[in-house]
C-alpha cells in the first residue's frame, strides 16, 4: 500500500512542478456546461463551479457502469453497491441527498434513496456534469449534496446510424449496447437497447450469523444479476424553432441469490428480487422568434421548455424456498393497540409485490435576456409521488405532492464579474410553504476564476420515511424498520469557495465547502417502547424473540466540510495527466434516549481521504488506426460506520487500451478495447455482515468490440441555435 501511495504522490508532484513553470497563457478550448445555471457557459466561465467528465475521458477510461466511472474519474464519490441499488455518497451525504439527472430530467428509483444506476447505459453517455451542494435554484429537495447530470449521446445527421457494442469480462460479465437512429427530414427516431449480466462473486465464505462464525456461507459479495432496458425517443422539428418529442422505456432486472446452504435462517436463501420499471414523457422546446440568432456570444438563447414525465419503479420477491412473512392486519393504523402481526408461509414459485412507486412530474421553464446584462431563468414544477405497498404501509398506499416556483437571475455586471442569485418557493402537501435563497459570485482575472457561493436547501421527508415499515425475521432476532409521521423537513446551508486556473495545458481547481444540515433524517436504533403494540404482542409476549427496532428520526444537526482538489496537465499532444483529491470530515449530533444525552457520531460511510489519478494517451498512427491507453488508480482511507465495523482503506490500479480501426468519420468503423482492472489483485475479505472498504473481486479482465455504421449527411432541419447540451470540444 505504501508503495502505491508513493507512486501516486510522485505523479502529483510531477504535475505540480510542471505547473510552476507558468508557460501556458492562452485559453484552451473548453466544454460547454449547463447544469449549474440552466444556461450555456464555457466551463471556465460557468458562474457555478462545475466538474465535467468529458467524452474523451469516458472513451479512454472504459468504465463498465456509472458507479465505475464516477469512483474512478473523480475523488468525491464513494459507493457500496448492493441488491437494492447503489449506496452512493457525495461529499459525506448519501443517495437521498444527491439528485441524478439524465439530460436534465430526474432519474426515478427507490423513494427512500437507493437509485439503481443500471438504468443508465454507460455506452450512451456523452459527458457528465457534476455540481456540488444545493447551489442552484433550478433543483429542489434531492440536491442538498449536489447534482449529477448525465448527458446522453445525440445523433443529428440525416440518414441511418447503427451502433453495436459488446463487452465481456471476468465472472461472465456481459454489457451489451445497441442503438438505431433514423433521421429523415423533420422526424427522428432513436432506439436504444442495453443488457447487463454477471454471475457475481464471493470474497469470503465467513459470515457471522446466529452468534456463530460460519465458515461455509454461500452468500455472495455481489449476487448474480441480469437486467435489460429498451428505450425509444421520437422527435419532430415541427417548424423552425419548435421541437416536440415523446419517449418511453421499459427496464427489467432480476437478482438471483444463493438457495442452498446449511443455514436457512439467512433470508437471502429464500427469495430472489425482481424489478419492473417503466417511464414515459412528452414535451418540447420553443426558441422565441426574434432570438434564434444570438446578438452576442454573452447572450443566452431565449427558450421555453415543457416536460411531463411518468415513472414507475416496482419490485417483487420471487420465492425459491419456504419463507415466513410477517404482515400487519390490513387496515390497522400505525400504533393502534389492536394491531396484530401474522405469519404467512410463502412457497417456492410464488411471488409477492413489495412496493410499487410511481411519480408524475410536470416542468415549465423559460430563459429570457433582460437589460443591463441580466439573464432571467424562471420555472414552475409539480410532482406527485404514489406508493403502493400492501404489507409495508398501514393502509396499503401512501402519497405526497410538491409544487415549486423558482426564479434565477444571472447578472454580468462587468466582463470580470458575474453574480447569480435565485429563489425557490416550495409548497408540500404535509409541510406547507418554504423559501430557499441561493447566491454566488464569480470574479475573472486572466486565466484565474474566483467563486463564492451560499445556498439554502430544503428537503421534505419521503413517502417511505413517513409511512414505510418492514419486519424481517432472522433466526432468534426480529428487525423492524419504521417510518415516522412526526418527522420534520430537513434544511441546509451550503457555503463554498473556489479558486480555479485554466491555462492552455494546465488546469487546477481548489474548492472548500461547509454543508450544515438541521433535522437530518436517518434510520437509527430506538428502544422497545417505540415499537408498535402489535409487534410487541406478537414477538415479545413470551420473551423468546428479541426485537430490534430502527426508526427514521431527525438527527438534531449534522455538518460536513471538506476540500476538493483537481489537477490536469496536457504534457503534449495526446498525453494528459489527471489527479483528484478529496478531504472530508463529518459530524452529526443525535439524542441517545437510553443515556438521556446528546452523542456525536460520524455520518456512516465517511472516509477522510479519497483520491484518483490517471494518465491518458492517444496517438493517430495512420488514417486507419488510433491507439489509446489509460492507466488509472483510485483509493480511499478507512470508511467509518456506527454499526458492523469500519471499512478498510484501499488503492486499486487499472489499465485500459483502445484501438480505433478505420476512419471514424466513414460509413463503417470499428473499435476494440482490452483492459485489466485491479492489477495488483486487491481483495477485502472481511466477513459478512461487516462493512467492506471495497467489494472488488480481485484482478479482472475485459474486452469490448464496437461497430458503428453511419449512412447519412448533415440534416438541414437541425437547429444549430438550440442549446446543445452535448457540445464537446476536446484537444486530442
Amino acid at each position: 500500500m505504501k508503495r502505491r501511495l508513493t507512486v501516486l504522490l510522485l505523479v502529483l508532484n510531477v504535475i505540480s512542478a510542471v505547473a510552476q513553470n507558468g508557460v501556458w497563457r492562452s485559453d484552451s478550448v473548453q466544454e460547454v456546461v449547463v447544469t449549474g445555471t440552466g444556461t450555456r457557459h464555457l466551463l471556465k466561465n460557468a458562474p457555478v463551479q462545475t466538474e465535467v467528465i468529458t467524452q474523451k475521458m469516458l472513451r479512454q477510461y472504459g468504465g463498465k457502469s456509472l458507479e465505475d466511472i464516477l469512483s474512478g474519474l473523480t475523488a468525491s464519490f464513494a459507493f457500496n453497491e448492493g441488491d437494492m441499488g447503489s449506496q452512493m455518497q457525495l461529499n459525506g451525504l448519501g443517495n437521498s441527498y444527491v439528485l441524478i439527472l439524465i439530460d436534465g430530467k430526474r432519474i426515478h428509483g427507490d423513494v427512500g434513496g437507493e437509485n439503481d444506476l443500471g438504468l443508465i447505459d454507460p455506452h450512451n453517455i456523452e459527458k457528465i456534469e457534476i455540481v456540488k451542494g444545493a447551489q442552484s435554484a433550478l433543483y429542489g429537495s434531492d440536491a442538498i449534496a449536489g447534482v449529477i447530470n448525465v448527458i446522453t449521446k445525440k445523433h443529428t445527421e440525416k440518414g441511418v446510424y447503427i451502433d453495436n457494442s459488446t463487452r465481456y469480462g471476468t465472472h461472465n460479465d456481459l454489457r451489451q449496447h445497441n442503438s438505431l437512429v433514423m433521421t429523415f427530414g423533420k422526424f427522428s427516431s432513436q432506439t436504444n437497447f442495453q443488457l447487463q449480466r454477471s454471475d457475481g462473486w464471493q470474497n469470503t465464505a465467513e459470515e457471522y450469523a446466529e452468534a456463530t462464525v460460519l465458515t461455509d456461507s454461500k452468500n455472495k459479495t455481489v449476487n448474480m444479476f441480469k437486467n435489460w432496458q429498451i428505450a425509444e425517443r421520437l422527435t419532430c422539428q415541427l417548424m423552425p424553432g419548435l421541437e416536440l418529442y415523446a419517449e418511453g422505456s421499459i427496464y427489467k432486472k432480476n437478482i438471483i441469490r444463493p438457495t442452498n446452504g446449511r443455514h436457512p435462517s439467512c433470508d437471502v436463501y429464500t427469495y430472489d428480487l425482481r424489478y419492473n420499471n417503466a417511464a414515459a414523457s412528452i414535451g418540447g422546446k420553443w426558441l422565441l422568434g426574434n432570438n434564434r440568432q444570438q446578438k452576442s456570444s454573452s447572450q443566452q438563447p431565449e427558450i421555453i421548455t415543457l416536460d411531463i414525465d411518468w415513472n414507475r419503479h416496482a419490485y417483487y420477491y420471487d420465492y425459491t424456498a419456504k419463507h415466513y412473512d410477517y404482515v400487519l392486519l390490513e387496515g390497522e393504523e400505525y400504533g393502534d393497540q389492536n394491531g396484530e402481526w401474522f405469519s404467512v408461509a410463502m412457497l417456492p414459485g410464488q411471488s409477492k409485490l413489495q412496493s410499487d412507486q410511481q411519480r408524475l412530474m410536470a416542468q415549465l421553464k423559460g430563459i429570457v435576456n433582460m437589460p443591463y446584462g441580466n439573464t432571467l431563468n424562471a420555472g414552475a414544477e409539480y410532482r406527485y409521488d404514489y406508493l403502493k405497498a400492501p404489507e409495508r404501509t398501514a393502509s396499503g398506499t401512501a402519497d405526497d405532492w410538491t409544487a415549486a416556483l423558482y426564479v434565477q437571475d444571472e447578472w454580468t455586471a462587468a466582463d470580470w464579474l458575474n453574480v447569480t442569485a435565485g429563489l425557490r418557493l416550495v409548497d408540500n402537501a404535509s409541510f406547507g410553504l418554504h423559501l430557499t435563497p441561493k447566491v454566488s459570485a464569480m470574479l475573472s482575472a486572466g486565466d484565474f476564476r474566483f467563486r463564492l457561493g451560499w445556498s439554502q436547501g430544503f428537503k421534505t421527508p419521503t413517502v417511505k420515511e413517513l409511512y414505510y415499515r418492514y419486519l424481517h425475521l432472522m433466526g432468534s432476532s426480529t428487525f423492524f424498520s419504521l417510518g415516522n409521521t412526526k418527522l420534520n423537513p430537513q434544511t441546509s446551508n451550503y457555503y463554498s469557495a473556489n479558486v480555479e486556473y485554466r491555462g492552455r495545458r494546465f488546469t487546477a481547481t481548489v474548492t472548500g465547502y461547509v454543508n450544515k444540515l438541521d433535522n437530518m433524517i436517518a434510520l437509527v436504533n430506538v428502544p422497545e417502547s417505540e415499537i408498535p403494540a402489535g409487534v410487541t404482542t406478537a414477538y415479545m409476549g413470551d420473551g423468546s424473540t428479541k426485537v430490534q427496532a430502527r426508526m427514521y428520526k431527525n438527527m438534531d444537526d449534522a455538518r460536513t466540510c471538506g476540500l476538493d482538489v483537481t489537477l490536469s496537465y496536457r504534457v503534449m499532444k495526446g498525453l494528459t495527466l489527471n489527479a483528484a483529491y478529496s478531504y472530508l470530515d463529518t459530524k452529526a449530533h443525535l439524542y441517545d434516549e437510553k443515556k438521556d444525552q446528546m452523542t456525536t457520531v460520524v455520518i456512516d460511510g465517511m472516509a477522510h481521504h479519497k483520491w484518483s489519478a490517471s494518465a491518458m494517451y492517444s496517438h493517430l498512427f495512420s488514417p486507419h488506426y488510433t491507439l489509446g491507453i489509460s492507466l488509472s488508480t483510485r483509493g480511499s482511507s478507512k470508511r467509518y460506520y456506527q454499526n458492523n465495523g469500519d471499512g478498510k482503506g484501499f488503492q486499486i490500479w487499472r489499465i485500459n487500451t483502445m484501438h480505433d480501426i478505420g476512419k471514424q468519420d466513414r460509413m463503417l468503423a470499428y473499435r476494440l478495447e482490452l483492459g485489466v482492472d485491479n492489477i495488483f489483485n486487491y481483495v477485502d475479505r472481511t466477513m459478512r455482515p461487516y462493512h467492506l472498504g471495497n467489494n472488488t473481486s480481485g484482478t479482472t479482465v475485459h474486452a469490448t468490440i464496437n461497430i458503428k455504421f453511419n449512412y447519412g449527411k448533415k440534416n438541414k432541419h437541425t437547429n444549430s441555435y438550440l442549446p446543445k447540451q452535448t457540445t464537446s470540444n476536446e484537444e486530442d
Side-chain angles (χ1 to χ4, degrees), residues 355-394:
S355 74
D356 182 353
Q357 305 164 35
Q358 299 186 43
R359 184 196 68 196
L360 179 66
M361 188 165 185
Q363 301 179 76
L364 176 66
K365 56 186 177 182
I367 300 172
V368 180
N369 292 312
M370 305 293 287
Y372 307 109
N374 291 274
T375 298
L376 198 65
N377 193 331
E381 296 179 359
Y382 176 80
R383 173 175 173 172
Y384 174 73
D385 285 301
Y386 171 79
L387 170 65
K388 179 182 178 181
E391 297 175 359
R392 299 196 178 194
T393 57

Side-chain angles (χ1 to χ4, degrees), residues 711-728:
Y711 180 76
K713 59 183 179 179
K714 186 175 180 60
N715 184 5
K716 67 179 180 180
H717 293 284
T718 299
N719 279 328
S720 60
Y721 47 79
L722 285 176
K724 288 186 175 59
Q725 295 185 348
T726 58
T727 301
S728 179

